[in-house]
Amino acid sequence: MIWCWCGWALFAYAVKVVCFGLSTGLSHYAAYHILEQLRLRVADRFLHAPLGEVNAHSIGEIKNIMVDKIEDIEPPLAHMIPEGSGHIMLPLASIVALALVDWRIALASLVTVPFSAVCMALTFWISGKNFDKYNASNAYMNSAIVEYIEGIEVIKAFGRSGVSYEKYADAIHSYKTFVVKWMTSTWVTMKLAFALFPSTLLGTLPVCLALGASGAVTVAQAALGVMLSMSMVTSLAKLEVFLNSIKSVQLTVEELQQYLEMPSLPEPERQAEVKGYDVELSDVRFSYSGEKKDEVLHGIDLKLPQGSFAALVGPSGGGKSTVAKLIARFWDVSDGEIRIGGVNIKDMPLSQLSDMVSFVTQDNFLFGCSLMENIRLGNPKASDEEVYKAAKAACCEEFIEKLPWGYQTPAGEAGKRLSGGEKQRIAIARMILKNAPVVILDEATAFTDPENEEKIQRSIAALTKGKTLLVIAHRLSTIRQAHIGAKDWAVLASGKEEEAHV
């Protein structure tokens, strides 16, 4: 009999291990699949939302939600279903077994549960009031860290390390102080809940002793009742932790909703039939806030014929870059129309518009791949030879060949060595490779030295022949070959066209 029961116990343990392995394996697969889809959906929403909606959120806030908060969902998803199910079934099975031994022992094992449930409810109530403050404090700390790291060069250059570090340290200290205070506020009720969970000493043991003394149960049954009562303690404590995790997941999902519900730029499914690549602005008005009182462009009328080289020149803040971004549809106009080839850009898919318009700014971002792949972003199907040709036209060869691995040098490593002008040339090479019919250059050669600027200008002139080219620049040398120019763009943007010199 002993060997028989040992065999059954070993078999049951093996079944438990196999089933637990399968269930946790499947739950982890499902959890990471959900995490993947959430991150992809948020990234896709950023891609289709107006740029202003994306810029309304700080980098630290976005990093916090896309990296940390979504990752925090994984443990509850991966463990709560398989392990939580087990922790629910074990107490239920124990209660049934106790009831089969003696119903009075079963009731005695639950005598402290109502008191523990009250303490647990108080813990959740106290904790829930501070979840929003916790999220705000965590987002502020993340933003302060990102800002400090990104601005370290400026901090050193202006000798403001003390002030900047103090802000960074204060953000971390405030977060720590808040979390400690938050945890302390729930310490008493949480510990009472854990202390009252086991009814073994207060309920089961006294009842088992009384029933055993009266002969109602045997010694073996009394011992079994105590052991089954003790077996529920760990499961009930784990369930308390899982319930707390559910609250955290709920708040994360609610926070994710504001990103997933960001308004998208409306776009049709079918491609539009454009007739040429003229760019025309008709009575264009725009406000970043959406309020008329904050309007920055007032009834702009502008036509850029196909094959023309148009230039916008004027003081900073005059709305030049805003017009360029509106043509690329980073935002939608508040009023009026922008047409390319006679078609309103709102009536064409974003992918079609993106294929038609190349946009290069003075703030050029290089991704973490190689320089070759950074240039190839302009045309993913381009061959290596086409990449080399575009790089040569943008005067990139001279500095790329000096790098340790040439075109295969990672942009992350090269970014530390490349100057602002060299990064701009990579971006221009990307634009050349894209070969779009409409090209917008927003201070694209601002950091380029005069010698290379002349070479790049010649390349751009040759490669954009027949294209609609819009250049925004402060250097007159950059736009001396322009066909169309607004010398006083700030006045034109203000709506006082009679005062503008076009």
Side-chain angles (χ1 to χ4, degrees):
M1 286 295 293
I2 292 173
W3 284 109
C4 179
W5 282 112
C6 285
W8 278 110
L10 183 62
F11 173 74
Y13 180 74
V15 170
K16 172 200 166 186
V17 170
V18 171
C19 290
F20 182 77
L22 288 172
S23 64
T24 53
L26 290 171
S27 64
H28 276 81
Y29 175 82
Y32 280 106
H33 180 74
I34 291 170
L35 263 58
E36 175 195 29
Q37 292 304 311
L38 282 174
R39 287 185 171 120
L40 289 174
R41 283 182 63 191
V42 173
D44 182 69
R45 183 60 64 178
F46 282 148
L47 192 64
H48 290 86
L51 193 60
E53 290 288 337
V54 179
N55 290 339
H57 302 278
S58 68
I59 295 176
E61 186 182 347
I62 293 172
K63 176 261 178 190
N64 185 38
I65 191 69
M66 290 195 71
V67 179
D68 302 331
K69 290 295 183 68
I70 291 180
E71 194 64 34
D72 288 343
I73 297 176
E74 184 271 329
L77 289 177
H79 297 277
M80 195 159 45
I81 296 175
E83 295 178 30
S85 301
H87 291 309
I88 291 172
M89 293 302 298
L90 180 58
L92 292 176
S94 297
I95 292 295
V96 172
L98 286 171
L100 292 174
V101 173
D102 192 284
W103 64 271
R104 290 163 292 188
I105 298 176
L107 288 178
S109 67
L110 300 174
V111 70
T112 61
V113 170
F115 302 101
S116 179
V118 170
C119 292
M120 190 186 300
L122 285 172
T123 302
F124 287 147
W125 179 71
I126 296 170
S127 180
K129 291 193 303 180
N130 292 294
F131 257 111
D132 289 340
K133 294 179 181 177
Y134 166 76
N135 287 330
S137 179
N138 186 267
Y140 176 72
M141 181 186 69
N142 275 284
S143 295
I145 292 171
V146 172
E147 181 185 68
Y148 182 76
I149 299 302
E150 287 191 336
I152 196 73
E153 183 178 344
V154 176
I155 292 168
K156 287 179 175 291
F158 287 90
R160 307 302 293 173
S161 55
V163 175
S164 299
Y165 181 79
E166 186 178 341
K167 179 184 176 183
Y168 163 76
D170 284 347
I172 295 176
H173 177 72
S174 298
Y175 176 74
K176 183 265 296 183
T177 303
F178 173 78
V179 172
V180 170
K181 185 178 179 181
W182 181 26
M183 294 295 108
T184 304
S185 68
T186 60
W187 188 84
V188 174
T189 53
M190 186 181 294
K191 293 304 175 186
L192 276 173
F194 279 111
L196 293 173
F197 257 137
S199 300
T200 307
L201 295 177
L202 297 177
T204 311
L205 183 58
V207 170
C208 284
L209 290 174
L211 293 174
S214 65
V217 295
T218 64
V219 175
Q221 288 174 320
L224 178 62
V226 172
M227 286 190 290
L228 287 173
S229 177
M230 291 177 64
S231 72
M232 293 189 287
V233 175
T234 302
S235 291
L236 291 172
K238 286 285 187 182
L239 284 176
E240 193 273 339
V241 175
F242 284 143
L243 287 172
N244 199 38
S245 298
I246 290 174
K247 181 66 176 176
S248 178
V249 170
Q250 177 190 347
L251 291 169
T252 299
V253 169
E254 289 174 358
E255 193 173 350
L256 269 170
Q257 284 300 112
Q258 66 174 309
Y259 292 93
L260 295 174
E261 293 176 358
M262 279 195 303
S264 296
L265 291 169
E267 55 176 318
E269 294 182 2
R270 294 183 179 180
Q271 289 206 346
E273 293 184 13
V274 297
K275 299 176 181 178
Y277 297 104
D278 295 343
V279 177
E280 187 173 357
L281 285 72
S282 300
D283 194 29
V284 168
R285 299 175 183 275
F286 179 71
S287 167
Y288 286 99
S289 65
E291 300 291 334
K292 190 172 180 62
K293 61 183 178 63
D294 299 324
E295 198 170 82
V296 294
L297 296 177
H298 315 280
I300 301 300
D301 291 304
L302 183 66
K303 185 169 183 179
L304 312 177
Q306 179 175 340
S308 65
F309 175 177
L312 296 183
V313 184
S316 298
K320 305 184 300 297
S321 295
T322 300
V323 166
K325 290 174 181 176
L326 288 175
I327 294 172
R329 211 186 171 198
F330 291 166
W331 289 278
D332 270 340
V333 297
S334 303
D335 200 6
E337 285 188 355
I338 298 178
R339 295 183 292 274
I340 297 180
V343 177
N344 191 326
I345 59 174
K346 292 182 181 179
D347 297 331
M348 59 179 70
L350 291 174
S351 57
Q352 182 183 8
L353 179 63
S354 176
D355 288 340
M356 286 196 297
V357 179
S358 280
F359 196 114
V360 182
T361 68
Q362 59 180 320
D363 300 316
N364 298 290
F365 184 81
L366 299 185
F367 290 88
C369 49
S370 68
L371 293 179
M372 174 171 278
E373 291 306 312
N374 265 281
I375 297 173
R376 191 178 267 125
L377 283 171
N379 179 6
K381 297 179 180 179
S383 65
D384 289 354
E385 287 302 319
E386 288 172 320
V387 172
Y388 298 147
K389 186 176 179 181
K392 185 176 181 180
C395 304
C396 297
E397 271 190 338
E398 58 183 84
F399 66 85
I400 291 180
E401 289 176 353
K402 295 176 183 177
L403 295 172
W405 299 287
Y407 284 88
Q408 300 306 320
T409 302
E413 181 179 326
K416 300 174 184 177
R417 303 181 184 186
L418 299 185
S419 65
E422 288 169 340
K423 290 178 183 178
Q424 281 190 320
R425 281 185 263 173
I426 294 288
I428 291 169
R430 190 187 290 166
M431 175 272 294
I432 291 170
L433 192 64
K434 184 175 180 179
N435 196 30
V438 179
V439 178
I440 301 172
L441 304 178
D442 186 358
E443 294 288 357
T445 58
F447 301 132
T448 308
D449 57 86
E451 182 182 348
N452 281 307
E453 184 189 14
E454 189 178 349
K455 295 178 184 176
I456 293 171
Q457 290 297 338
R458 286 202 300 267
S459 296
I460 291 175
L463 294 164
T464 56
K465 190 173 292 185
K467 301 180 187 297
T468 308
L469 177 61
L470 175 63
V471 175
I472 297 168
H474 285 101
R475 289 185 189 175
L476 295 179
S477 60
T478 306
I479 50 116
R480 62 177 179 265
Q481 302 299 325
H483 306 141
I484 307 169
K487 296 181 182 178
D488 197 349
W489 176 255
V491 176
L492 184 61
S494 69
K496 302 174 183 177
E497 294 188 43
E498 68 277 3
E499 298 179 23
H501 304 286
V502 182

